[in-house]
Coordinates of all heavy atoms in Angstrom, one line a residue:
A26 N 11.2 -3.6 -26.1 CA 11.6 -2.8 -25.0 C 12.4 -3.6 -24.0 O 13.2 -3.0 -23.3 CB 10.3 -2.4 -24.3
N27 N 12.3 -4.9 -24.0 CA 13.1 -5.7 -23.0 C 14.5 -5.9 -23.4 O 15.3 -6.4 -22.7 CB 12.4 -7.1 -22.8 CG 11.1 -7.0 -22.0 OD1 11.0 -6.1 -21.2 ND2 10.2 -7.9 -22.3
S28 N 14.9 -5.5 -24.6 CA 16.2 -5.6 -25.1 C 17.1 -4.5 -24.7 O 18.3 -4.4 -25.0 CB 16.3 -5.8 -26.6 OG 15.8 -4.7 -27.3
G29 N 16.5 -3.5 -24.1 CA 17.3 -2.3 -23.6 C 17.3 -1.1 -24.5 O 17.9 -0.1 -24.2
H30 N 16.6 -1.2 -25.6 CA 16.5 -0.1 -26.6 C 15.2 0.6 -26.4 O 14.3 0.6 -27.2 CB 16.6 -0.6 -28.0 CG 17.9 -1.4 -28.3 ND1 19.1 -0.8 -28.5 CD2 18.1 -2.7 -28.3 CE1 20.0 -1.7 -28.6 NE2 19.5 -2.9 -28.5
Y31 N 15.1 1.3 -25.3 CA 13.8 1.9 -24.8 C 13.3 3.0 -25.7 O 12.2 3.1 -26.1 CB 13.9 2.3 -23.4 CG 14.4 1.2 -22.5 CD1 15.6 1.4 -21.8 CD2 13.8 0.0 -22.4 CE1 16.1 0.3 -21.0 CE2 14.3 -1.1 -21.6 CZ 15.4 -0.9 -20.9 OH 15.9 -1.9 -20.2
N32 N 14.2 3.9 -26.1 CA 13.8 5.0 -27.0 C 13.4 4.5 -28.3 O 12.4 5.0 -28.9 CB 15.0 6.0 -27.1 CG 15.1 6.8 -25.8 OD1 14.2 7.0 -25.0 ND2 16.4 7.2 -25.5
Q33 N 14.1 3.5 -28.9 CA 13.7 3.0 -30.2 C 12.4 2.2 -30.0 O 11.5 2.3 -30.9 CB 14.8 2.0 -30.6 CG 16.0 2.6 -31.0 CD 17.1 1.6 -31.4 OE1 17.2 0.5 -30.9 NE2 18.1 2.1 -32.2
A34 N 12.2 1.6 -28.9 CA 10.9 0.9 -28.7 C 9.7 1.9 -28.7 O 8.7 1.7 -29.3 CB 10.9 0.1 -27.4
L35 N 10.0 3.0 -28.0 CA 8.9 4.1 -27.9 C 8.7 4.7 -29.3 O 7.5 4.9 -29.6 CB 9.4 5.2 -26.9 CG 9.4 4.7 -25.4 CD1 10.1 5.8 -24.6 CD2 7.9 4.5 -25.0
A36 N 9.7 4.9 -30.0 CA 9.6 5.5 -31.4 C 8.8 4.6 -32.3 O 7.9 5.1 -33.1 CB 10.9 5.8 -32.0
L37 N 9.0 3.3 -32.2 CA 8.2 2.3 -33.0 C 6.8 2.1 -32.5 O 5.9 1.9 -33.2 CB 9.0 1.0 -33.1 CG 10.3 1.0 -33.8 CD1 11.0 -0.3 -33.6 CD2 10.1 1.3 -35.3
N38 N 6.7 2.0 -31.2 CA 5.4 1.6 -30.6 C 4.4 2.7 -30.5 O 3.2 2.5 -30.6 CB 5.7 1.1 -29.1 CG 4.6 0.3 -28.6 OD1 4.3 -0.7 -29.2 ND2 4.1 0.7 -27.5
T39 N 4.8 4.0 -30.4 CA 3.9 5.1 -30.2 C 2.9 5.2 -31.4 O 1.7 5.3 -31.1 CB 4.7 6.4 -29.9 OG1 5.4 6.2 -28.7 CG2 3.7 7.6 -29.8
P40 N 3.4 5.2 -32.6 CA 2.4 5.3 -33.7 C 1.5 4.1 -33.8 O 0.3 4.3 -34.1 CB 3.3 5.4 -35.0 CG 4.7 5.5 -34.6 CD 4.8 5.2 -33.1
L41 N 2.0 2.9 -33.5 CA 1.1 1.7 -33.5 C 0.1 1.8 -32.4 O -1.1 1.5 -32.6 CB 2.0 0.5 -33.2 CG 3.0 0.1 -34.3 CD1 3.9 -1.0 -33.9 CD2 2.3 -0.2 -35.6
L42 N 0.4 2.4 -31.2 CA -0.5 2.5 -30.1 C -1.6 3.6 -30.5 O -2.7 3.5 -30.1 CB 0.2 2.9 -28.9 CG -0.5 2.8 -27.6 CD1 -1.1 1.4 -27.4 CD2 0.4 3.1 -26.4
S43 N -1.2 4.6 -31.3 CA -2.2 5.6 -31.7 C -3.2 5.0 -32.6 O -4.4 5.3 -32.5 CB -1.5 6.7 -32.5 OG -0.5 7.3 -31.7
E44 N -2.8 4.0 -33.4 CA -3.8 3.3 -34.2 C -4.6 2.3 -33.5 O -5.7 2.0 -33.9 CB -3.1 2.7 -35.4 CG -2.4 3.6 -36.4 CD -1.6 2.9 -37.4 OE1 -1.8 1.7 -37.6 OE2 -0.8 3.6 -38.0
N45 N -4.0 1.7 -32.4 CA -4.7 0.6 -31.7 C -4.6 0.9 -30.2 O -3.8 0.2 -29.5 CB -4.0 -0.7 -32.0 CG -4.0 -1.0 -33.5 OD1 -5.0 -1.3 -34.1 ND2 -2.8 -1.0 -34.1
P46 N -5.3 1.9 -29.7 CA -5.1 2.4 -28.3 C -5.5 1.4 -27.2 O -5.1 1.5 -26.1 CB -5.9 3.6 -28.2 CG -6.9 3.5 -29.3 CD -6.3 2.7 -30.4
R47 N -6.2 0.3 -27.6 CA -6.6 -0.7 -26.6 C -5.9 -2.0 -26.8 O -6.4 -3.0 -26.2 CB -8.1 -0.8 -26.5 CG -8.8 0.5 -26.1 CD -10.3 0.4 -25.9 NE -10.7 -0.6 -24.9 CZ -10.6 -0.4 -23.6 NH1 -10.2 0.7 -23.1 NH2 -11.0 -1.4 -22.8
D48 N -4.8 -2.0 -27.5 CA -4.1 -3.3 -27.7 C -3.2 -3.5 -26.5 O -2.3 -2.8 -26.2 CB -3.2 -3.1 -29.0 CG -2.5 -4.4 -29.3 OD1 -1.6 -4.8 -28.5 OD2 -2.7 -5.0 -30.3
Y49 N -3.5 -4.6 -25.8 CA -2.8 -4.9 -24.5 C -1.3 -5.0 -24.7 O -0.5 -4.4 -23.9 CB -3.3 -6.2 -23.9 CG -2.6 -6.5 -22.6 CD1 -3.0 -5.9 -21.4 CD2 -1.5 -7.4 -22.6 CE1 -2.4 -6.2 -20.2 CE2 -0.9 -7.6 -21.4 CZ -1.3 -7.1 -20.2 OH -0.6 -7.3 -19.1
D50 N -0.8 -5.7 -25.7 CA 0.6 -5.9 -25.9 C 1.3 -4.6 -26.2 O 2.4 -4.4 -25.7 CB 0.8 -7.0 -27.0 CG 0.4 -8.4 -26.6 OD1 0.5 -8.7 -25.4 OD2 -0.1 -9.1 -27.5
L51 N 0.7 -3.8 -27.0 CA 1.3 -2.5 -27.3 C 1.4 -1.6 -26.1 O 2.4 -1.0 -25.8 CB 0.5 -1.8 -28.4 CG 0.6 -2.4 -29.8 CD1 -0.3 -1.6 -30.8 CD2 2.0 -2.3 -30.4
M52 N 0.3 -1.6 -25.3 CA 0.2 -0.8 -24.1 C 1.3 -1.3 -23.1 O 2.0 -0.5 -22.4 CB -1.1 -0.9 -23.5 CG -2.2 -0.2 -24.3 SD -3.9 -0.5 -23.6 CE -3.8 0.6 -22.1
H53 N 1.4 -2.6 -23.0 CA 2.4 -3.2 -22.1 C 3.8 -2.8 -22.5 O 4.7 -2.4 -21.6 CB 2.3 -4.7 -22.0 CG 3.1 -5.4 -21.0 ND1 4.4 -5.7 -21.2 CD2 2.8 -5.8 -19.7 CE1 4.9 -6.3 -20.1 NE2 3.9 -6.3 -19.2
T54 N 4.1 -2.9 -23.8 CA 5.5 -2.6 -24.3 C 5.7 -1.1 -24.0 O 6.8 -0.7 -23.6 CB 5.6 -2.9 -25.8 OG1 5.4 -4.3 -26.0 CG2 6.9 -2.4 -26.4
Q55 N 4.7 -0.3 -24.3 CA 4.9 1.2 -24.1 C 5.2 1.5 -22.6 O 6.1 2.3 -22.3 CB 3.6 1.9 -24.5 CG 3.7 3.4 -24.5 CD 4.4 4.0 -25.7 OE1 4.9 3.2 -26.6 NE2 4.4 5.3 -25.9
T56 N 4.4 0.9 -21.7 CA 4.6 1.1 -20.3 C 5.9 0.7 -19.8 O 6.6 1.4 -19.1 CB 3.5 0.4 -19.5 OG1 2.2 0.7 -20.0 CG2 3.5 0.7 -18.0
R57 N 6.4 -0.5 -20.3 CA 7.7 -1.0 -19.9 C 8.8 -0.1 -20.4 O 9.7 0.2 -19.6 CB 7.9 -2.4 -20.5 CG 9.2 -3.0 -20.4 CD 9.6 -3.6 -19.1 NE 8.7 -4.6 -18.6 CZ 8.5 -4.9 -17.3 NH1 9.2 -4.3 -16.4 NH2 7.6 -5.8 -17.0
A58 N 8.7 0.4 -21.6 CA 9.7 1.3 -22.2 C 9.8 2.6 -21.4 O 10.8 3.1 -21.1 CB 9.5 1.5 -23.7
L59 N 8.6 3.1 -21.1 CA 8.6 4.4 -20.3 C 9.2 4.2 -18.9 O 9.9 5.0 -18.5 CB 7.1 4.9 -20.2 CG 6.5 5.4 -21.5 CD1 5.0 5.6 -21.3 CD2 7.1 6.7 -21.9
L60 N 8.8 3.1 -18.3 CA 9.3 2.8 -17.0 C 10.9 2.7 -17.0 O 11.6 3.2 -16.2 CB 8.7 1.5 -16.5 CG 9.1 1.0 -15.1 CD1 8.8 2.1 -14.0 CD2 8.3 -0.2 -14.8
K61 N 11.4 1.9 -17.9 CA 12.8 1.7 -18.0 C 13.6 2.9 -18.5 O 14.8 3.0 -18.2 CB 13.1 0.5 -19.0 CG 12.6 -0.8 -18.5 CD 13.4 -1.2 -17.3 CE 13.0 -2.7 -16.9 NZ 13.8 -3.2 -15.8
S62 N 12.9 3.9 -19.1 CA 13.5 5.2 -19.5 C 13.4 6.2 -18.3 O 13.7 7.4 -18.5 CB 12.8 5.7 -20.7 OG 12.9 4.8 -21.8
N63 N 12.9 5.7 -17.2 CA 12.7 6.6 -16.0 C 11.7 7.7 -16.3 O 11.8 8.8 -15.7 CB 14.1 7.2 -15.5 CG 15.0 6.1 -15.0 OD1 14.5 5.1 -14.4 ND2 16.3 6.2 -15.3
R64 N 10.8 7.5 -17.1 CA 9.7 8.5 -17.4 C 8.5 8.0 -16.6 O 7.5 7.5 -17.1 CB 9.5 8.5 -18.9 CG 10.7 9.1 -19.7 CD 10.6 8.9 -21.1 NE 9.5 9.5 -21.8 CZ 9.3 9.5 -23.1 NH1 10.2 8.9 -23.9 NH2 8.2 10.1 -23.6
F65 N 8.6 8.2 -15.3 CA 7.7 7.6 -14.3 C 6.3 8.2 -14.4 O 5.3 7.5 -14.3 CB 8.2 7.7 -12.9 CG 9.5 7.0 -12.7 CD1 10.6 7.6 -12.3 CD2 9.6 5.6 -13.0 CE1 11.8 7.0 -12.1 CE2 10.8 4.9 -12.8 CZ 11.9 5.6 -12.4
K66 N 6.2 9.5 -14.7 CA 4.8 10.1 -14.7 C 4.0 9.5 -15.9 O 2.9 9.2 -15.8 CB 5.0 11.6 -14.9 CG 3.7 12.4 -14.8 CD 3.9 13.8 -15.0 CE 3.7 14.5 -13.6 NZ 3.7 16.0 -13.7
E67 N 4.7 9.4 -17.1 CA 4.1 8.8 -18.3 C 3.8 7.4 -18.1 O 2.7 6.8 -18.5 CB 4.9 9.1 -19.5 CG 5.1 10.5 -19.9 CD 6.2 10.7 -20.9 OE1 5.9 10.6 -22.1 OE2 7.4 10.9 -20.5
A68 N 4.7 6.7 -17.4 CA 4.6 5.2 -17.2 C 3.4 5.0 -16.3 O 2.6 4.1 -16.5 CB 5.8 4.6 -16.6
R69 N 3.2 5.8 -15.3 CA 2.1 5.7 -14.3 C 0.8 5.9 -15.1 O -0.2 5.1 -14.9 CB 2.2 6.7 -13.2 CG 0.9 6.6 -12.3 CD 1.0 7.5 -11.1 NE 2.2 7.2 -10.3 CZ 2.9 8.0 -9.6 NH1 2.6 9.3 -9.6 NH2 3.9 7.6 -8.9
R70 N 0.7 6.9 -15.9 CA -0.5 7.1 -16.7 C -0.9 5.9 -17.6 O -2.0 5.5 -17.7 CB -0.3 8.4 -17.5 CG -1.6 8.9 -18.2 CD -1.4 10.2 -18.9 NE -0.5 11.2 -18.3 CZ 0.7 11.6 -18.8 NH1 1.1 11.2 -20.0 NH2 1.4 12.5 -18.1
Q71 N 0.2 5.4 -18.3 CA 0.0 4.3 -19.2 C -0.4 3.0 -18.4 O -1.2 2.2 -18.8 CB 1.2 4.0 -20.0 CG 1.1 3.1 -21.1 CD 0.1 3.6 -22.2 OE1 0.1 4.8 -22.5 NE2 -0.6 2.7 -22.8
L72 N 0.2 2.8 -17.2 CA -0.1 1.7 -16.4 C -1.5 1.7 -15.9 O -2.2 0.7 -15.9 CB 0.9 1.7 -15.2 CG 0.8 0.5 -14.3 CD1 0.9 -0.9 -15.0 CD2 1.8 0.6 -13.1
R73 N -2.1 2.9 -15.6 CA -3.5 3.0 -15.2 C -4.4 2.5 -16.3 O -5.4 1.9 -16.1 CB -3.8 4.4 -14.7 CG -3.0 4.8 -13.5 CD -3.3 4.0 -12.3 NE -2.4 4.3 -11.2 CZ -1.5 3.4 -10.7 NH1 -1.5 2.1 -11.1 NH2 -0.7 3.7 -9.7
L74 N -4.1 2.9 -17.5 CA -4.9 2.5 -18.7 C -4.8 1.0 -18.9 O -5.8 0.3 -19.1 CB -4.4 3.2 -19.9 CG -4.6 4.7 -20.0 CD1 -3.9 5.3 -21.2 CD2 -6.1 5.1 -20.0
L75 N -3.6 0.5 -18.7 CA -3.4 -1.0 -18.8 C -4.2 -1.7 -17.7 O -4.8 -2.8 -18.0 CB -1.9 -1.3 -18.7 CG -1.4 -2.6 -19.1 CD1 -1.6 -2.8 -20.6 CD2 0.1 -2.6 -18.8
E76 N -4.2 -1.2 -16.5 CA -4.9 -1.9 -15.5 C -6.4 -1.8 -15.7 O -7.2 -2.8 -15.4 CB -4.7 -1.2 -14.1 CG -3.3 -1.5 -13.6 CD -2.9 -0.7 -12.4 OE1 -3.4 0.5 -12.2 OE2 -2.1 -1.1 -11.6
Q77 N -6.9 -0.8 -16.3 CA -8.4 -0.7 -16.7 C -8.7 -1.8 -17.7 O -9.8 -2.3 -17.7 CB -8.7 0.7 -17.2 CG -8.7 1.8 -16.2 CD -8.9 3.1 -16.8 OE1 -9.2 3.3 -18.0 NE2 -8.8 4.1 -16.0
L78 N -7.8 -2.0 -18.6 CA -8.0 -3.0 -19.7 C -7.9 -4.4 -19.1 O -8.8 -5.3 -19.4 CB -7.0 -2.8 -20.8 CG -7.2 -3.6 -22.1 CD1 -8.5 -3.2 -22.7 CD2 -6.0 -3.3 -23.0
E79 N -6.9 -4.8 -18.4 CA -6.7 -6.1 -17.9 C -6.0 -6.1 -16.5 O -4.8 -6.4 -16.4 CB -5.9 -7.0 -18.8 CG -6.6 -7.3 -20.1 CD -6.0 -8.4 -20.9 OE1 -5.4 -9.3 -20.2 OE2 -6.0 -8.4 -22.1
C80 N -6.8 -5.8 -15.5 CA -6.2 -5.6 -14.1 C -5.7 -6.9 -13.5 O -4.9 -7.0 -12.7 CB -7.1 -4.9 -13.2 SG -8.6 -5.8 -12.8
K81 N -6.4 -8.0 -13.9 CA -6.0 -9.3 -13.3 C -4.9 -10.1 -14.0 O -4.5 -11.1 -13.6 CB -7.3 -10.2 -13.2 CG -8.4 -9.6 -12.3 CD -9.5 -10.5 -12.0 CE -10.6 -9.8 -11.3 NZ -10.4 -9.7 -9.9
N82 N -4.5 -9.5 -15.1 CA -3.4 -10.2 -15.9 C -2.1 -10.2 -15.1 O -1.7 -9.2 -14.5 CB -3.2 -9.4 -17.2 CG -2.3 -10.1 -18.1 OD1 -1.2 -10.4 -17.8 ND2 -2.7 -10.3 -19.4
N83 N -1.4 -11.3 -15.0 CA -0.2 -11.4 -14.2 C 0.9 -10.5 -14.8 O 1.7 -10.0 -14.0 CB 0.3 -12.9 -14.2 CG -0.5 -13.8 -13.3 OD1 -1.1 -13.3 -12.4 ND2 -0.5 -15.0 -13.6
D84 N 1.0 -10.3 -16.1 CA 1.9 -9.3 -16.6 C 1.7 -7.9 -16.1 O 2.6 -7.2 -15.9 CB 1.9 -9.4 -18.2 CG 2.5 -10.7 -18.7 OD1 3.3 -11.3 -18.0 OD2 2.1 -11.0 -19.8
T85 N 0.4 -7.6 -16.0 CA 0.0 -6.2 -15.5 C 0.5 -6.1 -14.1 O 1.0 -5.1 -13.7 CB -1.5 -6.0 -15.6 OG1 -1.9 -6.2 -17.0 CG2 -1.9 -4.6 -15.2
K86 N 0.2 -7.1 -13.3 CA 0.6 -7.1 -11.9 C 2.1 -7.0 -11.7 O 2.7 -6.3 -10.9 CB 0.1 -8.3 -11.1 CG -1.4 -8.3 -11.0 CD -1.9 -9.6 -10.4 CE -3.4 -9.7 -10.3 NZ -3.9 -10.9 -9.8
E87 N 2.9 -7.7 -12.6 CA 4.3 -7.7 -12.5 C 4.8 -6.3 -12.9 O 5.8 -5.8 -12.3 CB 4.9 -8.7 -13.5 CG 6.4 -8.7 -13.5 CD 7.0 -9.7 -14.5 OE1 6.3 -10.8 -14.7 OE2 8.0 -9.4 -15.1
L88 N 4.2 -5.7 -13.9 CA 4.6 -4.4 -14.3 C 4.3 -3.3 -13.2 O 5.1 -2.4 -12.9 CB 3.9 -4.0 -15.6 CG 4.4 -2.8 -16.4 CD1 5.8 -3.0 -16.8 CD2 3.5 -2.7 -17.7
E89 N 3.2 -3.5 -12.5 CA 2.9 -2.7 -11.3 C 4.0 -2.8 -10.3 O 4.4 -1.8 -9.7 CB 1.5 -3.0 -10.8 CG 1.1 -2.3 -9.5 CD 0.8 -0.9 -9.7 OE1 0.3 -0.5 -10.7 OE2 1.0 -0.1 -8.7
N90 N 4.4 -4.0 -10.0 CA 5.5 -4.2 -9.0 C 6.8 -3.6 -9.4 O 7.5 -2.9 -8.6 CB 5.7 -5.7 -8.7 CG 4.5 -6.3 -8.0 OD1 3.8 -5.6 -7.2 ND2 4.4 -7.6 -8.1
D91 N 7.1 -3.7 -10.7 CA 8.3 -3.1 -11.2 C 8.2 -1.6 -11.1 O 9.2 -0.9 -10.8 CB 8.5 -3.4 -12.7 CG 8.9 -4.9 -12.9 OD1 9.2 -5.6 -11.9 OD2 8.9 -5.4 -14.0
F92 N 7.0 -1.0 -11.4 CA 6.8 0.4 -11.3 C 7.1 0.9 -9.9 O 7.8 1.9 -9.7 CB 5.4 0.8 -11.8 CG 5.1 2.3 -11.6 CD1 5.6 3.2 -12.5 CD2 4.4 2.7 -10.5 CE1 5.3 4.5 -12.4 CE2 4.2 4.1 -10.3 CZ 4.6 5.0 -11.3
L93 N 6.5 0.2 -8.9 CA 6.6 0.6 -7.5 C 8.1 0.5 -7.1 O 8.6 1.4 -6.4 CB 5.7 -0.3 -6.6 CG 4.2 -0.1 -6.8 CD1 3.5 -1.1 -6.0 CD2 3.8 1.4 -6.4
T94 N 8.8 -0.5 -7.5 CA 10.2 -0.7 -7.1 C 11.0 0.4 -7.7 O 11.8 1.0 -7.0 CB 10.7 -2.1 -7.6 OG1 9.9 -3.1 -7.0 CG2 12.1 -2.3 -7.2
L95 N 10.9 0.6 -9.0 CA 11.8 1.6 -9.7 C 11.4 3.1 -9.4 O 12.3 3.9 -9.2 CB 11.7 1.4 -11.2 CG 12.4 0.1 -11.7 CD1 12.2 -0.1 -13.2 CD2 13.9 0.1 -11.4
S96 N 10.1 3.4 -9.3 CA 9.8 4.8 -9.1 C 10.0 5.2 -7.7 O 10.2 6.4 -7.4 CB 8.3 5.0 -9.5 OG 7.4 4.3 -8.6
E97 N 10.0 4.3 -6.7 CA 10.3 4.7 -5.3 C 11.7 4.5 -4.9 O 12.1 4.9 -3.8 CB 9.3 3.9 -4.4 CG 7.9 4.2 -4.6 CD 6.9 3.4 -3.8 OE1 7.4 2.6 -3.0 OE2 5.7 3.6 -3.9
S98 N 12.5 4.0 -5.8 CA 13.9 3.8 -5.4 C 14.7 5.0 -5.7 O 14.5 5.7 -6.7 CB 14.5 2.6 -6.3 OG 15.9 2.5 -6.1
P99 N 15.7 5.3 -4.8 CA 16.6 6.4 -5.1 C 17.6 6.1 -6.2 O 18.3 7.0 -6.7 CB 17.3 6.6 -3.8 CG 17.3 5.3 -3.1 CD 16.0 4.7 -3.6
L100 N 17.7 4.9 -6.6 CA 18.6 4.4 -7.7 C 17.9 4.6 -9.0 O 16.6 4.5 -9.1 CB 19.0 3.0 -7.5 CG 19.7 2.7 -6.1 CD1 19.9 1.2 -6.0 CD2 21.0 3.4 -6.0
T101 N 18.6 4.7 -10.1 CA 18.1 4.7 -11.4 C 18.3 3.4 -12.1 O 19.1 2.6 -11.6 CB 18.7 5.8 -12.3 OG1 20.1 5.6 -12.4 CG2 18.4 7.2 -11.7
A102 N 17.6 3.1 -13.2 CA 17.8 1.9 -13.9 C 19.1 1.8 -14.7 O 19.5 0.8 -15.2 CB 16.6 1.7 -14.8
G103 N 19.8 2.9 -14.8 CA 21.1 3.0 -15.5 C 22.3 2.5 -14.6 O 22.1 2.2 -13.5
V104 N 23.4 2.6 -15.2 CA 24.6 2.2 -14.5 C 25.6 3.4 -14.6 O 25.8 4.0 -15.7 CB 25.3 1.0 -15.2 CG1 26.6 0.6 -14.6 CG2 24.3 -0.2 -15.2
D105 N 26.2 3.7 -13.5 CA 27.2 4.7 -13.4 C 28.5 4.1 -13.0 O 28.6 3.2 -12.2 CB 26.8 5.8 -12.4 CG 25.6 6.6 -12.8 OD1 25.5 6.9 -14.0 OD2 24.8 6.9 -11.9
Y106 N 29.6 4.6 -13.6 CA 31.0 4.1 -13.2 C 31.7 5.2 -12.5 O 31.7 6.4 -12.9 CB 31.7 3.8 -14.5 CG 31.1 2.6 -15.2 CD1 30.3 2.8 -16.3 CD2 31.5 1.3 -14.8 CE1 29.7 1.7 -16.9 CE2 30.9 0.2 -15.5 CZ 30.0 0.4 -16.5 OH 29.5 -0.7 -17.2
Y107 N 32.3 4.8 -11.4 CA 33.1 5.8 -10.6 C 34.5 5.3 -10.5 O 34.8 4.1 -10.3 CB 32.5 6.0 -9.2 CG 31.1 6.6 -9.2 CD1 30.0 5.8 -9.2 CD2 31.0 7.9 -9.3 CE1 28.7 6.3 -9.3 CE2 29.7 8.5 -9.4 CZ 28.6 7.7 -9.3 OH 27.4 8.3 -9.4
F108 N 35.5 6.2 -10.6 CA 36.9 5.8 -10.4 C 37.5 6.6 -9.3 O 37.2 7.8 -9.1 CB 37.6 6.2 -11.7 CG 37.1 5.4 -12.9 CD1 36.2 6.0 -13.8 CD2 37.5 4.1 -13.1 CE1 35.8 5.3 -14.9 CE2 37.1 3.4 -14.2 CZ 36.2 4.0 -15.1
D109 N 38.3 6.0 -8.5 CA 39.0 6.6 -7.4 C 40.3 7.2 -7.8 O 41.0 6.7 -8.7 CB 39.2 5.7 -6.2 CG 37.9 5.4 -5.5 OD1 37.0 6.2 -5.5 OD2 37.9 4.3 -4.9

């Protein structure tokens, strides 16, 4: 998910997460990919599950901060080009 291929990460990760729904690393990857895909509602739901599993984990806290920054920003994670 960190390489920028968020839809591919979701396609690969979703079936694995179905088989291992409490796997922290899979949940973290899923949440990051959803967040970076601007799928904030799903990312929030996944983040809450992640917090229940390991709320004191620094990676979880960092992901929470990223979520707050991206979901409340009027900007998107993508890049737009404008020409005059």
Side-chain angles (χ1 to χ4, degrees):
N27 289 331
S28 66
H30 303 283
Y31 310 119
N32 289 330
Q33 291 173 333
L35 289 168
L37 292 171
N38 200 58
T39 300
L41 295 173
L42 193 56
S43 298
E44 294 175 17
N45 304 292
R47 297 190 53 82
D48 183 293
Y49 179 84
D50 292 325
L51 292 174
M52 291 173 74
H53 187 275
T54 300
Q55 187 83 354
T56 306
R57 170 81 53 205
L59 289 167
L60 180 59
K61 294 293 187 170
S62 299
N63 296 324
R64 294 167 60 177
F65 300 121
K66 186 181 254 186
E67 294 168 90
R69 176 179 297 150
R70 190 176 322 119
Q71 191 66 36
L72 183 58
R73 297 299 169 240
L74 294 172
L75 196 59
E76 289 172 333
Q77 290 174 4
L78 189 62
E79 290 197 33
C80 66
K81 297 188 187 282
N82 186 308
N83 286 336
D84 290 334
T85 303
K86 291 176 185 178
E87 179 182 326
L88 198 55
E89 173 74 27
N90 289 336
D91 291 348
F92 175 81
L93 292 173
T94 301
L95 291 172
S96 66
E97 294 178 2
S98 171
L100 304 174
T101 62
V104 176
D105 293 323
Y106 295 95
Y107 295 96
F108 299 99
D109 289 332

